[in-house]
């Protein structure tokens, strides 16, 4: 299943700077997009989502941008904090609510 | 905060044995899911369950797999005859009627030897 792609397996960023995570999708039926954060030995934790009718959603330090024409979304974390070090998964669903996940990006925030 | 509970956290089983992975979803959730993640690979959808029946299943979810909600609170995944390639983290998830309510459990690490 290659419908959701995260092409950067890892990202290293200095504390206080911006982290930008990217995600591309191929299925034009996707209408809802989510970002999950995952620590080792834990399940994915919901972070932020965006509906296809919007192009931006913001929640505190987290902002998700959606570019439907490019089938691309990104997650911005600013400022990055050490506790943000985790694996971030992009996920998408159509109206069946089943999630298709990307492979994940491991974020390391350096002090 | 309500959470999805999975037991056991780690299960080791011999190839060919049956395993049952257990989940207690959030009480007012209506949709239930199993996902798995093989080490180093993506999180993959296995099955969704709504109104006491399977609503969708992936090609991974073959005849060796079954799900059940036996008592209105537990949600189980049974693998009848485990194979080495079934070794993975299995995540249970539940949700309300909107995507926003998607909550995952901490997972069960299944190791088939």
């Amino acid at each position: 299943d290659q419908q959701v792609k995260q092409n950067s397996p890892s990202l290293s960023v200095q504390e206080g700077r911006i982290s930008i995570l990217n995600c591309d999708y191929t299925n034009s039926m996707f209408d809802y997009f989510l970002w999950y954060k995952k620590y080792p030995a834990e399940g994915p934790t919901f972070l932020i989502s965006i509906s296809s009718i919007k192009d931006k959603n913001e929640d505190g330090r987290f902002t998700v941008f959606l570019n439907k024409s490019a089938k691309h979304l990104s997650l911005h974390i600013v400022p990055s904090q050490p506790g943000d070090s985790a694996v971030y998964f992009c996920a998408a669903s159509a109206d069946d609510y089943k999630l298709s996940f990307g492979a994940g990006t491991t974020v390391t925030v350096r002090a | 905060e309500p959470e999805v509970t999975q037991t056991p956290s780690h299960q080791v089983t011999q190839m060919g044995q049956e395993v049952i992975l257990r989940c207690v979803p959030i009480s007012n959730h209506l949709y239930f899911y199993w996902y798995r993640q093989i080490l180093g690979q993506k999180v993959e959808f296995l099955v969704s369950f709504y109104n006491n029946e399977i609503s969708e299943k992936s090609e991974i979810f073959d005849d060796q797999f079954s799900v059940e909600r036996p008592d209105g609170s537990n949600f189980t995944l049974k693998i009848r005859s485990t194979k080495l390639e079934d070794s993975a983290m299995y995540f249970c998830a539940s949700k309300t009627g909107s995507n926003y309510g998607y909550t995952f459990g901490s997972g069960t690490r299944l190791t088939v030897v």
Side-chain angles (χ1 to χ4, degrees):
Chain A
D1 179 359
Q2 296 293 314
Q3 297 186 89
V4 179
K5 293 182 182 179
Q6 293 176 256
N7 291 319
S8 298
S10 63
L11 172 70
S12 180
V13 64
Q14 193 155 15
E15 183 179 1
R17 305 296 289 269
I18 185 171
S19 296
I20 300 176
L21 293 84
N22 293 301
C23 178
D24 297 292
Y25 63 95
T26 57
N27 188 344
S28 57
M29 298 301 292
F30 286 148
D31 60 1
Y32 206 87
F33 305 90
L34 308 94
W35 285 93
Y36 283 85
K37 178 179 178 180
K38 186 181 179 303
Y39 294 114
E42 295 185 12
T45 302
F46 171 78
L47 203 55
I48 192 168
S49 63
I50 188 166
S51 163
S52 60
I53 62 173
K54 295 186 174 182
D55 55 17
K56 177 182 174 181
N57 189 26
E58 191 171 353
D59 184 2
R61 296 186 296 115
F62 303 93
T63 304
V64 57
F65 296 92
L66 176 63
N67 182 336
K68 281 182 61 180
S69 60
K71 292 191 175 68
H72 177 85
L73 63 155
S74 61
L75 173 68
H76 293 208
I77 307 172
V78 58
S80 299
Q81 298 173 353
D84 295 332
S85 295
V87 180
Y88 289 79
F89 292 98
C90 170
S93 76
D95 57 5
D96 59 359
Y97 297 143
K98 175 183 70 176
L99 294 181
S100 295
F101 282 87
T105 298
T106 300
V107 172
T108 304
V109 179
R110 310 184 309 271
Chain B
E1 185 167 330
E3 58 181 29
V4 174
T5 306
Q6 288 187 245
T7 55
S9 57
H10 192 187
Q11 172 97 42
V12 181
T13 188
Q14 288 205 324
M15 191 169 54
Q17 295 296 303
E18 175 184 285
V19 293
I20 298 176
L21 309 183
R22 302 182 191 278
C23 170
V24 179
I26 294 173
S27 60
N28 63 340
H29 282 190
L30 303 174
Y31 299 82
F32 312 104
Y33 303 83
W34 284 99
Y35 285 78
R36 79 172 186 190
Q37 185 181 26
I38 294 171
L39 186 64
Q41 297 187 22
K42 287 187 178 187
V43 177
E44 302 172 290
F45 167 79
L46 290 179
V47 65
S48 58
F49 192 86
Y50 171 71
N51 202 24
N52 286 319
E53 61 182 21
I54 291 174
S55 46
E56 188 170 354
K57 58 184 180 179
S58 72
E59 58 190 28
I60 302 168
F61 194 89
D62 61 22
D63 291 344
Q64 294 300 312
F65 290 87
S66 62
V67 289
E68 204 174 39
R69 190 158 158 78
D71 56 11
S73 62
N74 292 286
F75 180 50
T76 62
L77 174 69
K78 182 192 289 186
I79 309 174
R80 264 178 271 281
S81 177
T82 51
K83 303 186 284 283
L84 293 175
E85 54 265 37
D86 294 328
S87 295
M89 281 290 289
Y90 287 80
F91 295 106
C92 173
S94 68
K95 63 185 291 296
T96 60
S98 69
N99 276 301
Y100 187 83
Y102 226 113
T103 303
F104 282 87
S106 296
T108 293
R109 179 172 296 284
L110 176 64
T111 304
V112 182
V113 297

PDB file of all heavy atoms in Angstrom, chain A residues 19 25 28 53 63 68 71 78 98 100 103 105 108:
ATOM      1  N   SER A  19      10.324  22.318  13.055  1.00  0.00           N
ATOM      2  CA  SER A  19      10.384  21.001  12.411  1.00  0.00           C
ATOM      3  C   SER A  19       9.311  20.981  11.329  1.00  0.00           C
ATOM      4  O   SER A  19       8.160  21.350  11.586  1.00  0.00           O
ATOM      5  CB  SER A  19      10.091  19.879  13.405  1.00  0.00           C
ATOM      6  OG  SER A  19      11.069  19.797  14.413  1.00  0.00           O
ATOM      7  N   TYR A  25       0.359  11.938  -0.891  1.00  0.00           N
ATOM      8  CA  TYR A  25      -0.604  10.857  -1.057  1.00  0.00           C
ATOM      9  C   TYR A  25      -1.016  10.756  -2.518  1.00  0.00           C
ATOM     10  O   TYR A  25      -0.853  11.690  -3.300  1.00  0.00           O
ATOM     11  CB  TYR A  25      -1.820  11.059  -0.146  1.00  0.00           C
ATOM     12  CG  TYR A  25      -2.638  12.298  -0.411  1.00  0.00           C
ATOM     13  CD1 TYR A  25      -3.773  12.272  -1.222  1.00  0.00           C
ATOM     14  CD2 TYR A  25      -2.280  13.515   0.165  1.00  0.00           C
ATOM     15  CE1 TYR A  25      -4.522  13.404  -1.452  1.00  0.00           C
ATOM     16  CE2 TYR A  25      -3.025  14.655  -0.064  1.00  0.00           C
ATOM     17  CZ  TYR A  25      -4.142  14.608  -0.862  1.00  0.00           C
ATOM     18  OH  TYR A  25      -4.886  15.734  -1.088  1.00  0.00           O
ATOM     19  N   SER A  28      -7.003  10.194  -4.545  1.00  0.00           N
ATOM     20  CA  SER A  28      -7.784  11.437  -4.554  1.00  0.00           C
ATOM     21  C   SER A  28      -9.081  11.305  -3.757  1.00  0.00           C
ATOM     22  O   SER A  28      -9.776  12.302  -3.536  1.00  0.00           O
ATOM     23  CB  SER A  28      -8.093  11.845  -5.992  1.00  0.00           C
ATOM     24  OG  SER A  28      -8.770  10.798  -6.662  1.00  0.00           O
ATOM     25  N   ILE A  53     -11.516  20.007   3.110  1.00  0.00           N
ATOM     26  CA  ILE A  53     -12.133  21.286   2.752  1.00  0.00           C
ATOM     27  C   ILE A  53     -11.321  22.469   3.295  1.00  0.00           C
ATOM     28  O   ILE A  53     -11.639  23.620   3.009  1.00  0.00           O
ATOM     29  CB  ILE A  53     -13.589  21.381   3.251  1.00  0.00           C
ATOM     30  CG1 ILE A  53     -13.653  21.304   4.782  1.00  0.00           C
ATOM     31  CG2 ILE A  53     -14.435  20.288   2.622  1.00  0.00           C
ATOM     32  CD1 ILE A  53     -15.047  21.561   5.330  1.00  0.00           C
ATOM     33  N   THR A  63       0.944  22.871  13.379  1.00  0.00           N
ATOM     34  CA  THR A  63       0.126  23.345  12.264  1.00  0.00           C
ATOM     35  C   THR A  63       0.238  22.347  11.122  1.00  0.00           C
ATOM     36  O   THR A  63       1.343  21.922  10.778  1.00  0.00           O
ATOM     37  CB  THR A  63       0.588  24.724  11.775  1.00  0.00           C
ATOM     38  OG1 THR A  63       0.570  25.647  12.874  1.00  0.00           O
ATOM     39  CG2 THR A  63      -0.319  25.247  10.670  1.00  0.00           C
ATOM     40  N   LYS A  68      -4.141  20.324  -1.729  1.00  0.00           N
ATOM     41  CA  LYS A  68      -4.871  19.253  -2.422  1.00  0.00           C
ATOM     42  C   LYS A  68      -4.411  19.077  -3.853  1.00  0.00           C
ATOM     43  O   LYS A  68      -4.339  17.959  -4.368  1.00  0.00           O
ATOM     44  CB  LYS A  68      -6.375  19.527  -2.388  1.00  0.00           C
ATOM     45  CG  LYS A  68      -7.038  19.174  -1.076  1.00  0.00           C
ATOM     46  CD  LYS A  68      -8.530  19.418  -1.129  1.00  0.00           C
ATOM     47  CE  LYS A  68      -9.210  18.579  -2.196  1.00  0.00           C
ATOM     48  NZ  LYS A  68     -10.667  18.837  -2.229  1.00  0.00           N
ATOM     49  N   LYS A  71      -1.475  17.123  -3.731  1.00  0.00           N
ATOM     50  CA  LYS A  71      -1.635  15.925  -2.903  1.00  0.00           C
ATOM     51  C   LYS A  71      -0.494  15.842  -1.882  1.00  0.00           C
ATOM     52  O   LYS A  71       0.211  14.832  -1.754  1.00  0.00           O
ATOM     53  CB  LYS A  71      -1.707  14.662  -3.761  1.00  0.00           C
ATOM     54  CG  LYS A  71      -2.957  14.548  -4.623  1.00  0.00           C
ATOM     55  CD  LYS A  71      -3.071  13.149  -5.221  1.00  0.00           C
ATOM     56  CE  LYS A  71      -4.366  12.960  -5.973  1.00  0.00           C
ATOM     57  NZ  LYS A  71      -4.433  13.765  -7.197  1.00  0.00           N
ATOM     58  N   VAL A  78       6.523  24.232  15.905  1.00  0.00           N
ATOM     59  CA  VAL A  78       7.369  25.361  16.256  1.00  0.00           C
ATOM     60  C   VAL A  78       6.916  25.982  17.577  1.00  0.00           C
ATOM     61  O   VAL A  78       5.723  26.213  17.761  1.00  0.00           O
ATOM     62  CB  VAL A  78       7.397  26.401  15.110  1.00  0.00           C
ATOM     63  CG1 VAL A  78       5.992  26.889  14.778  1.00  0.00           C
ATOM     64  CG2 VAL A  78       8.261  27.595  15.446  1.00  0.00           C
ATOM     65  N   LYS A  98     -11.122   3.917   7.377  1.00  0.00           N
ATOM     66  CA  LYS A  98      -9.900   3.116   7.471  1.00  0.00           C
ATOM     67  C   LYS A  98      -8.704   4.021   7.225  1.00  0.00           C
ATOM     68  O   LYS A  98      -8.716   4.847   6.312  1.00  0.00           O
ATOM     69  CB  LYS A  98      -9.963   2.020   6.411  1.00  0.00           C
ATOM     70  CG  LYS A  98      -8.730   1.162   6.292  1.00  0.00           C
ATOM     71  CD  LYS A  98      -8.889   0.168   5.158  1.00  0.00           C
ATOM     72  CE  LYS A  98      -8.860   0.844   3.797  1.00  0.00           C
ATOM     73  NZ  LYS A  98      -8.918  -0.112   2.689  1.00  0.00           N
ATOM     74  N   SER A 100      -4.853   4.832   6.177  1.00  0.00           N
ATOM     75  CA  SER A 100      -3.651   4.409   5.458  1.00  0.00           C
ATOM     76  C   SER A 100      -2.511   5.235   5.993  1.00  0.00           C
ATOM     77  O   SER A 100      -2.579   6.473   5.986  1.00  0.00           O
ATOM     78  CB  SER A 100      -3.808   4.622   3.958  1.00  0.00           C
ATOM     79  OG  SER A 100      -4.811   3.794   3.434  1.00  0.00           O
ATOM     80  N   ALA A 103       5.113   5.700   6.195  1.00  0.00           N
ATOM     81  CA  ALA A 103       6.122   4.877   6.851  1.00  0.00           C
ATOM     82  C   ALA A 103       6.684   5.520   8.109  1.00  0.00           C
ATOM     83  O   ALA A 103       7.358   4.863   8.902  1.00  0.00           O
ATOM     84  CB  ALA A 103       7.251   4.573   5.871  1.00  0.00           C
ATOM     85  N   THR A 105       8.313   9.304  10.068  1.00  0.00           N
ATOM     86  CA  THR A 105       9.545  10.101  10.102  1.00  0.00           C
ATOM     87  C   THR A 105       9.984  10.189  11.547  1.00  0.00           C
ATOM     88  O   THR A 105       9.193  10.598  12.408  1.00  0.00           O
ATOM     89  CB  THR A 105       9.312  11.513   9.540  1.00  0.00           C
ATOM     90  OG1 THR A 105       8.927  11.423   8.176  1.00  0.00           O
ATOM     91  CG2 THR A 105      10.574  12.365   9.667  1.00  0.00           C
ATOM     92  N   THR A 108      14.279  13.886  15.767  1.00  0.00           N
ATOM     93  CA  THR A 108      15.175  14.024  16.910  1.00  0.00           C
ATOM     94  C   THR A 108      15.400  15.499  17.149  1.00  0.00           C
ATOM     95  O   THR A 108      15.868  16.219  16.249  1.00  0.00           O
ATOM     96  CB  THR A 108      16.523  13.338  16.653  1.00  0.00           C
ATOM     97  OG1 THR A 108      16.288  11.969  16.329  1.00  0.00           O
ATOM     98  CG2 THR A 108      17.420  13.429  17.884  1.00  0.00           C
TER      99      THR A 108
END
